[in-house]
Amino acid sequence: MSHPPSGHLHRDGPAVRARPSPESHLREAFPRVQRYLDELIDRCYAVPHPMLHASLKTLVARGRRDPQEFSLPLLVHAAIRGGTGPAEPVAAVHALWWRAANAFDDVVDGDAGPRTYGMDGSAALTAALECGYGLPLRVLATLPASEPLRRALTADYLESWTAATDGQLGDLLNEPGEVGPDEVREVYRKKSGAVYAMACLLAARVAHGAGSAVAGPEADEVAAWGEFGEVLGILAQLRNDHDDLRDGTGADLRNGTATYRLAQLLHRQDRAERERARLLFSRAAASEPHHRELTELLGSPDVLRPCNRLLAELRHRAHALLDLLAPASPFTTLLRARVDAEARPLDVREQDERPAAAPSSADPGGTPVAPRPRTAPGGEAGAD
């Protein structure tokens, strides 16, 4: 059946202009958040701190981006209130955290090269401190909100910052042979879960206003949104681990990172299998054949089975929370799509299928898209 284009007169009566889709509504907000970021840096730093101003502008423009840095807080606010406007400053805060964290991550992993995003590496790290800490706190301190609400938002951000830092240290310092799957999951809950929780907490608290700053139903709902973000963050980390193996880079193995799958393999009940896996791991960084054999073991059904059980458990919890928090909103459909994209069962045998990443903020509808390179020194691959 054909339909008259929206916005034109129809012979049976005046046309009703179609409401913008949730996807288009979300996309329209991205340029506003970017302008807010640009104006914020100019306002706070251009005159009093010109060196920091130039470095921050470069970091924000060229730093590696997270695919959901703008869209996740905007989606949560829109699922609650139907629009994104009041959440645009906290979407900027979330983006600033990611720019800073990715700068540190690229330097630690050796991905940045001699210059980081076109800057001296030391200058980039110094700017990242202000980008991830000082500047977000400036935003939250000047929001047009009550003082109790601003304090609650600041506490959300600081608690998430601290938890994520603790999780990142666990990721760096844990020895794969010494930590089991439950301990790695706790690292993921902090390292990634806390960051996604922060995005959801800030957006939900802004949506509920001053009432969310005191104990009661609104504060409980904000906390539930934080749990949703935490679950989504763990799912995203598990997907990131999988894509690292399927893309063939194997950076986690070469860096000796204690991933959930590696912990499953190195703690197998069968002693012979366990010892073989540990031997391969000890040699994988320097030996391509050992690295390849270890990668194959990580894709074995006995290793994937508990990982897929965890994905299914987390997916179920995320959907249950959305059923509780915003079941009827069209924006919730997009959040569900994000959950499903991250929670797809792991199967490394599908070698001819290009692995799909979680939907990016440029693709808010939840359609799986080709993964962005983990290292994007110029930031172009992560453009919103």
Side-chain angles (χ1 to χ4, degrees), residues 94-106:
H94 192 228
L96 290 169
W97 188 96
W98 276 109
R99 290 296 194 288
N102 286 338
F104 285 112
D105 191 49
D106 286 345

Side-chain angles (χ1 to χ4, degrees), residues 185 231-232 234-240 242 260-261 304-319 339-347:
R185 178 176 174 174
V231 170
L232 183 61
I234 299 171
L235 284 169
Q237 185 62 58
L238 291 165
R239 177 59 49 186
N240 179 271
H242 182 64
Y260 188 79
R261 274 165 75 170
L304 291 181
R305 196 172 297 114
C307 296
N308 283 328
R309 279 199 300 266
L310 176 58
L311 287 172
E313 170 194 328
L314 294 170
R315 178 183 180 277
H316 181 269
R317 180 57 183 161
H319 280 293
V339 170
D340 291 342
E342 303 289 12
R344 298 188 317 279
L346 309 180
D347 186 354

Side-chain angles (χ1 to χ4, degrees), residues 45-310:
Y45 301 101
V47 174
H49 310 294
M51 300 295 287
L52 184 54
H53 173 259
S55 297
L56 280 171
K57 293 285 275 191
T58 300
L59 182 62
V60 168
R62 301 188 62 186
R64 179 162 60 89
R65 306 182 180 203
D66 176 76
Q68 300 191 53
E69 61 182 19
F70 285 175
S71 57
L72 182 57
L74 297 176
L75 276 174
V76 169
H77 189 279
I80 299 169
R81 293 296 180 210
T84 62
E88 288 166 12
V90 298
V93 165
H94 192 228
L96 290 169
W97 188 96
W98 276 109
R99 290 296 194 288
N102 286 338
F104 285 112
D105 191 49
D106 286 345
V107 171
V108 168
D109 288 349
D111 293 336
R115 293 180 65 79
T116 306
Y117 316 134
M119 291 185 283
D120 174 81
S122 298
L125 290 181
T126 303
L129 284 172
E130 183 72 12
C131 181
Y133 199 77
L135 188 49
L137 294 180
R138 288 178 184 271
V139 173
L140 298 176
T142 56
L143 286 177
S146 67
E147 184 59 29
L149 180 56
R150 286 198 296 268
R151 284 199 301 268
L153 290 165
T154 300
D156 291 335
Y157 187 81
L158 291 175
E159 287 297 323
S160 299
W161 171 282
T162 300
T165 302
D166 187 74
Q168 185 64 47
L169 286 171
D171 193 61
L172 292 170
L173 299 177
N174 281 343
E175 294 292 338
E178 298 176 4
V179 293
D182 289 344
E183 292 162 291
V184 175
R185 178 176 174 174
E186 176 62 10
V187 167
Y188 287 8
R189 186 185 70 81
K190 290 184 172 183
K191 174 190 173 185
S192 300
V195 183
Y196 285 67
M198 174 256 287
C200 296
L201 285 168
L202 295 178
R205 203 175 295 281
V206 167
H208 285 288
S212 68
V214 296
E218 290 180 318
D220 292 342
E221 186 167 329
V222 169
W225 275 111
E227 183 187 351
F228 169 78
E230 183 178 282
V231 170
L232 183 61
I234 299 171
L235 284 169
Q237 185 62 58
L238 291 165
R239 177 59 49 186
N240 179 271
D241 294 347
H242 182 64
D243 289 345
D244 179 64
L245 286 171
R246 284 195 55 181
D247 286 344
T249 56
D252 288 333
L253 285 182
R254 300 188 192 282
N255 293 334
T257 303
T259 64
Y260 188 79
R261 274 165 75 170
L262 184 59
Q264 291 284 352
L265 179 62
L266 297 183
H267 290 79
R268 296 283 296 276
Q269 292 186 349
D270 184 283
R271 180 176 179 179
E273 293 177 351
R274 184 173 67 246
E275 293 305 317
R276 177 61 180 169
R278 289 175 180 244
L279 175 64
L280 291 171
F281 175 70
S282 69
R283 299 177 178 178
S287 167
E288 186 59 36
H290 289 92
H291 184 279
R292 188 163 50 249
E293 185 179 348
L294 183 60
T295 300
E296 290 173 359
L297 287 178
L298 287 167
S300 65
D302 287 343
V303 173
L304 291 181
R305 196 172 297 114
C307 296
N308 283 328
R309 279 199 300 266
L310 176 58

